[in-house]
Amino acid sequence: MTAEIINQFKNYLYQVGYSESTQKMLPTLVKEFLQHQIITDISYIEQQKVKSFLEFLQTRPLKLRTGALSEMMISHYVYALKTFFSWCEVTEQIDYNPISGMKFKRPKQNVREPLSKEEINQLFEAAGTLKLQTILHLFYSCGLRRSEGEALNINDVHFKQQLLYVREGKGAKRRVVPITERVSKDFEEYYLQERCSTIIKNVKDTEAFLLNNTGVRMKGDQCNKLLQQIKEKAALQNEITLHHLRHSIATHLLQGGMSMEYVRDFLGHSFLETTQIYAKPTAEQLKLL
């Protein structure tokens, strides 16, 4: 009975259009709840069983390493149960939703503050080589994800047209990123003076736009290490990662008056809700509210 219900729930998630990872995760979490509470008939489940299971999760050890579940992971269980019981209610498999009316505290989230425009300028001033300038441009000026920067090839950057092509972004989505004249010029100078120079011998990844000193496609962690060097030279104290740069350009574009829809397309987001995370008003904009 339990296996049949879980499979039906999984099919529902597929039909509605949930992502593949969600289609796998939610049924797994619900299955753990049903097994832990020894539930074989879902037609009536007491609210106390939900409370008992959530109390168990507070002390449940991790399966692959030491420690307990994080608040964020427990919130995934709550979401799974909410989705499951809502589906049961809609399909008339239950008359009473045991999780309705229960209140849950929101998990603490790591807040990633965007860099100010002044801090961005300090980074560019501290980037002493064309390669370092290019790294800043890719993840700030173009707003690329780490994986997109890694995968960028020479034929993806069109200097004259001032366009950069992301062939396979998140979710296998393609997009075209417009670049400014300055960015295009800096990319071209990097390509001609460093990328194609004799400094890098025995090039192994001939298509890659960014190469490390051994002629191999530069990975995200290598870009991040170089970013830390730029940060130290700029004497900035805040934590800065490649994603901070992407977050910062999104915030600056929105604060500059660019539409949410355009920024969504620029970043390659599927939903406006994701882009809205970056919508932080400036002090001047707050005065107008």
Side-chain angles (χ1 to χ4, degrees):
M1 179 68 176
T2 300
E4 183 181 348
I5 288 295
I6 292 298
N7 283 331
Q8 290 175 3
F9 179 50
K10 188 180 296 185
N11 289 334
Y12 157 74
L13 296 175
Y14 169 76
Q15 292 169 0
V16 173
Y18 282 86
S19 67
E20 288 188 15
S21 59
T22 302
Q23 291 174 39
K24 293 178 181 178
M25 180 179 71
L26 298 194
T28 300
L29 302 186
V30 171
K31 181 180 179 181
E32 184 178 346
F33 161 71
L34 296 176
Q35 290 179 339
H36 183 266
Q37 294 298 307
I38 317 175
I39 297 171
T40 56
D41 181 7
I42 67 164
S43 60
Y44 182 79
I45 299 176
E46 296 178 347
Q47 190 174 86
Q48 183 55 44
K49 287 190 175 293
V50 178
K51 291 180 178 179
S52 175
F53 179 66
L54 294 178
E55 288 176 3
F56 158 72
L57 293 180
Q58 299 293 331
T59 57
R60 198 208 84 172
L62 299 176
K63 295 179 179 179
L64 301 179
R65 53 190 173 87
T66 58
L69 295 174
S70 66
E71 287 187 9
M72 184 60 71
M73 190 61 225
I74 292 175
S75 75
H76 289 327
Y77 277 92
V78 172
Y79 177 68
L81 293 177
K82 283 183 176 180
T83 306
F84 175 70
F85 286 125
S86 294
W87 167 71
C88 289
E89 202 169 20
V90 169
T91 54
E92 299 182 344
Q93 298 183 74
I94 59 174
D95 295 322
Y96 165 70
N97 187 334
I99 207 168
S100 63
M102 294 181 65
K103 295 183 178 180
F104 306 94
K105 66 176 183 178
R106 299 186 67 176
K108 296 179 182 178
Q109 295 182 332
N110 294 326
V111 179
R112 182 183 284 114
E113 291 294 333
L115 280 70
S116 68
K117 291 183 179 180
E118 291 73 18
E119 289 173 322
I120 291 294
N121 288 334
Q122 286 177 259
L123 288 175
F124 274 102
E125 290 173 2
T129 68
L130 293 171
K131 179 186 287 186
L132 296 179
Q133 293 271 340
T134 295
I135 289 173
L136 293 180
H137 278 316
L138 288 176
F139 299 102
Y140 174 76
S141 307
C142 300
L144 298 190
R145 297 181 176 92
R146 172 174 168 151
S147 59
E148 294 168 349
E150 286 183 2
L152 194 69
N153 288 330
I154 293 171
N155 60 4
D156 295 332
V157 185
H158 295 240
F159 310 121
K160 291 183 179 180
Q161 290 82 6
Q162 295 179 205
L163 296 173
L164 182 149
Y165 289 84
V166 177
R167 306 290 178 182
E168 190 170 343
K170 191 173 182 179
K173 292 179 62 178
R174 297 162 62 96
R175 71 182 188 278
V176 181
V177 179
I179 56 180
T180 65
E181 184 177 354
R182 176 200 166 182
V183 173
S184 178
K185 182 180 178 181
D186 287 350
F187 280 165
E188 188 171 15
E189 287 185 358
Y190 157 73
Y191 174 70
L192 295 175
Q193 297 181 33
E194 288 193 17
R195 173 63 179 78
C196 295
S197 71
T198 56
I199 297 176
I200 303 175
K201 298 179 180 179
N202 301 319
V203 174
K204 301 175 181 64
D205 291 314
T206 56
E207 295 183 347
F209 186 65
L210 273 180
L211 292 178
N212 61 22
N213 293 333
T214 61
V216 176
R217 184 183 295 273
M218 187 176 289
K219 298 297 184 181
D221 59 346
Q222 295 173 312
C223 290
N224 199 52
K225 286 180 181 178
L226 292 175
L227 176 59
Q228 301 315 308
Q229 294 177 16
I230 301 172
K231 168 195 162 184
E232 291 178 9
K233 190 174 179 181
L236 296 178
Q237 301 302 316
N238 298 341
E239 178 191 4
I240 300 176
T241 65
L242 298 176
H243 196 81
H244 275 95
L245 299 180
R246 174 175 159 87
H247 188 155
S248 300
I249 186 61
T251 301
H252 297 162
L253 290 175
L254 289 167
Q255 291 177 347
M258 192 167 286
S259 72
M260 192 79 70
E261 290 81 4
Y262 181 88
V263 177
R264 175 198 61 192
D265 295 340
F266 177 80
L267 295 174
H269 287 158
S270 297
F271 305 102
L272 278 178
E273 291 85 348
T274 309
T275 313
Q276 287 172 341
I277 296 172
Y278 304 111
K280 294 194 174 184
T282 62
E284 290 73 17
Q285 288 171 322
L286 287 173
K287 292 176 184 178
L288 300 176
L289 299 179

